[in-house]
Amino acid sequence: MSVEITWWGHATCTVEDSGVRLLTDPLFARRLAHLRRRRGAPPPPEAAEADAVLVSHLHADHLHLPSLARLAPGTRLLVPRGAPRAVPGLARVAGVRGLAVTEMAPGDEVGVRAGVRVRAVSARHDGRRLPFGPHLTPALGYVVQGAARTYFAGDTGLFGAMAEEVGPVDVALLPVGGWGPYLGPGHLDAGRAAQALAALAPAAAVPVHYGTYWPIGLDAVRPHEFHAPGEEFVRRARQLAPKVTVRVPDHGERVRLP
């Protein structure tokens, strides 16, 4: 079993398994509304190269239309069911770029190619297109099933059925922070992510969704919430899941797991 993970920042990762490239929640911007990228250079053009893209929910830092517009024609785009209806711009981008959109709900499974399949699982998170919009779509996580089984949690809170629904996995990409000084409900911090890790019991894990974007003008407000979650997750994981190998890549760094 072998898989390579490149962390581009925030929740954006390239998962390479069996010669297939999957890209999670692409966000390539230097600035998004009130957020600016404070660590790591924006990903290079090759970061947008993927056989399939996994979008976990409709928040603009996860479903980012200008970043999706960088995908090559024919790229497979997996989105929560109802996303094109809830975000009309998604249909426009997909049409202009020739993206193959597949709507997913928990339990749905699709083949990508070369024996690699992707299964959607539940997430506990408000998946609406904020700041407005009815709750038409689920927030999702995804399990990539190839030579390895890789769980991308998207944005989620901790919930009791997580390990049962996700099933056995080899690698877990878990959010451990956010983009502001406080985390609301439906998120994992380093401690709760370590609890999730203990329940999932993968061979290896990579912390994501931290240390990249921060609100403009709030550099001095709880800066440890920006800098610390990755290493705090390592510390908590040693306590709660000591058999799991945790890798903390720098922005743009590729790691081979396990």
Side-chain angles (χ1 to χ4, degrees), residues 149-254:
R149 292 163 296 185
T150 301
Y151 171 45
F152 168 61
D155 245 355
T156 186
L158 187 64
F159 59 100
M162 176 185 284
E164 179 181 358
E165 184 173 350
V166 171
V169 290
D170 302 298
V171 177
L173 309 179
L174 295 177
V176 301
W179 50 254
Y182 301 100
L183 284 175
H187 293 87
L188 296 177
D189 61 10
R192 290 191 294 271
Q195 294 177 46
L197 188 68
L200 293 163
V206 173
V208 301
H209 204 273
Y210 78 101
T212 309
Y213 292 92
W214 205 245
I216 295 170
L218 292 185
D219 295 45
V221 178
R222 297 174 64 86
H224 64 284
E225 296 289 353
F226 178 81
H227 293 286
E231 293 304 325
E232 177 66 8
F233 175 67
V234 172
R235 186 180 72 82
R236 298 291 189 95
R238 286 179 184 144
Q239 296 171 343
L240 299 180
K243 295 183 179 180
V244 180
T245 298
V246 178
R247 299 288 299 273
V248 184
D250 292 329
H251 289 80
E253 182 182 357
R254 177 186 295 181

Side-chain angles (χ1 to χ4, degrees), residues 15-142:
V15 179
E16 298 179 75
D17 187 318
S18 304
V20 177
R21 288 172 60 94
L22 302 108
L23 179 64
T24 66
D25 287 349
L27 180 59
F28 303 140
R30 291 183 180 272
R31 179 171 173 174
L32 172 63
H34 64 299
L35 306 179
R36 64 184 174 95
R37 192 175 182 108
R38 287 193 55 217
R39 185 180 290 174
E46 55 265 29
E49 297 173 2
D51 297 290
V53 173
L54 316 180
V55 173
S56 63
H57 63 287
L58 305 190
H59 291 174
D61 57 324
H62 293 259
L63 194 165
H64 185 244
L65 297 178
S67 294
L68 296 181
R70 291 174 53 176
L71 301 174
T75 302
R76 186 85 173 267
L77 182 60
L78 308 185
V79 300
R81 182 172 296 169
R85 179 165 52 118
V87 185
L90 174 59
R92 290 195 294 271
V93 169
V96 169
R97 296 299 301 163
L99 307 179
V101 178
T102 300
E103 299 182 44
M104 304 283 284
D108 289 347
E109 186 173 317
V110 298
V112 180
R113 67 176 182 86
V116 174
R117 300 188 64 81
V118 176
R119 175 168 55 91
V121 297
S122 299
R124 295 297 186 269
H125 191 70
D126 184 348
R128 290 178 293 179
R129 188 68 164 184
L130 299 177
F132 47 81
H135 200 160
L136 299 174
T137 64
L140 301 175
Y142 294 96

